[in-house]
Amino acid sequence: MDTLTPSDFFSPSKARQQRAQAQDWAQIDSWLSYKYAGRTVPAFERNEETLRVLRELSMANEQADEQRVVQERLEREALNELEEKRTHDDDRKILDTVTAHLTSSGSSSLDSIASTAVALNAPAPSAEIMAHTVLHHTSASQSLANQLAHIRTLQRYLQKQYALLRSQLSELQSNPAFSAPPSLQRQTTDQVRQTKHLRSKIREYEDRLSTLQSAHARGSRGQEVASAEAIADMLEQQSALDELRRRVEDLETRVDEFAGLPADKEAARKDVGRMEVELDALRRQRDGLFERMVAR
């Protein structure tokens, strides 16, 4: 086998070829060791031609082994079929002999037993085995009948629920009560804008109040009694500030009622409809619980 030269390290294709040959030689060495079964493998020249011949020989040997395995399996199956045929021929002779000596009622009974065993798929035509088989089939049939009845009941319930959901969906799509007002988006935008404006006003008045309080504190250090006009102005501004705060809180409460709704009108309408359906479901659940409590 060729060895790697310094120039091969700069040739990826040559390096891949050398690695592939090394793997092939490793497989050939393993195959020869298996075939010689512990004996010493004869020495031979390791070149590309020898490697090609040994690869072809190993492939031919594997194919021959596979063909031999298939041939042995076919021979075993053929022998088994011959043995079964001999057994069937012997059983046939015994059956013919017994049938020939039976009366008409005995022959009819034998046919009945055989037909029953075949219909029940019983391993043997004994009375005990067929009785157990009949019991097993009866139990399985009853279990299947119960499951079928349960499935039919479930199907009827699902059909009823489907019809109810279809009617609720139709009502949600057609009833104007579940439709969002056309001006919902505009009202929400206006209220948000007013809220921002009032918040800025509150900050402005708070700054002015803080300034007046600071001036009043500085003036009170030099005077024992504050100016009546300054106090009246402060009280007026405080009252206006409280009024603005109440308006802002009112607007925030009204805006929070629409929290979570998308900006798109159709999407908001769908969300309102979904919430109405959930509310109806909770109401029905509450009524059902109340009825059960009353019934108890």
Side-chain angles (χ1 to χ4, degrees), residues 231-249:
I231 293 175
D233 189 17
M234 290 174 57
L235 292 174
E236 184 180 354
Q237 291 181 1
Q238 182 67 36
S239 177
L241 181 61
D242 293 338
E243 180 64 23
L244 284 175
R245 283 178 176 171
R246 284 193 295 271
R247 292 180 60 188
V248 169
E249 290 176 356

Side-chain angles (χ1 to χ4, degrees), residues 65-271:
D65 291 341
E66 292 176 356
Q67 292 178 358
R68 185 178 66 255
V69 171
V70 173
Q71 183 177 358
E72 291 176 353
R73 185 172 67 251
L74 291 175
E75 290 177 353
R76 287 194 300 270
E77 291 178 356
L79 290 174
N80 291 334
E81 291 180 358
L82 290 174
E83 292 294 334
E84 292 178 359
K85 185 176 180 182
R86 294 194 194 98
T87 303
H88 293 334
D89 290 342
D90 294 340
D91 293 341
R92 186 65 183 179
K93 291 178 181 178
I94 295 173
L95 178 61
D96 292 340
T97 304
V98 172
T99 305
H101 292 79
L102 286 175
T103 62
S104 59
S105 60
S107 179
S108 177
S109 300
L110 180 62
D111 292 339
S112 300
I113 293 174
S115 300
T116 304
V118 172
L120 295 175
N121 195 19
S126 65
E128 183 179 359
I129 292 176
M130 287 194 292
H132 285 294
T133 306
V134 169
L135 291 175
H136 174 72
H137 284 298
T138 303
S139 176
S141 176
Q142 185 64 34
S143 177
L144 291 175
N146 293 335
Q147 293 179 6
L148 183 60
H150 176 70
I151 291 172
R152 287 175 177 172
T153 304
L154 181 61
Q155 182 182 9
R156 289 194 296 271
Y157 172 76
L158 292 177
Q159 289 175 349
K160 186 184 298 183
Q161 291 296 320
Y162 175 75
L164 178 61
L165 291 175
R166 292 293 298 179
S167 63
Q168 291 178 353
L169 178 61
S170 177
E171 183 180 359
L172 289 174
Q173 292 175 347
S174 59
N175 193 345
F178 298 110
S179 301
S183 59
L184 175 63
Q185 185 175 0
R186 180 177 56 80
Q187 291 177 359
T188 304
T189 304
D190 293 341
Q191 290 175 356
V192 170
R193 184 171 60 252
Q194 292 178 9
T195 302
K196 291 181 179 179
H197 176 69
L198 292 175
R199 283 177 178 173
S200 63
K201 285 293 185 181
I202 288 174
R203 286 193 295 269
E204 180 183 353
Y205 287 145
E206 286 177 347
D207 294 338
R208 291 175 62 182
L209 180 60
S210 177
T211 302
L212 289 174
Q213 289 176 349
S214 299
H216 175 68
R218 288 194 301 269
S220 63
R221 285 195 298 266
Q223 300 177 356
E224 294 181 359
V225 180
S227 173
E229 295 179 356
I231 293 175
D233 189 17
M234 290 174 57
L235 292 174
E236 184 180 354
Q237 291 181 1
Q238 182 67 36
S239 177
L241 181 61
D242 293 338
E243 180 64 23
L244 284 175
R245 283 178 176 171
R246 284 193 295 271
R247 292 180 60 188
V248 169
E249 290 176 356
D250 182 60
L251 287 174
E252 287 180 346
T253 302
R254 294 173 63 185
V255 170
D256 289 339
E257 293 179 356
F258 301 98
L261 291 176
D264 183 64
K265 180 176 68 176
E266 295 298 330
R269 183 178 299 173
K270 291 180 180 179
D271 284 351

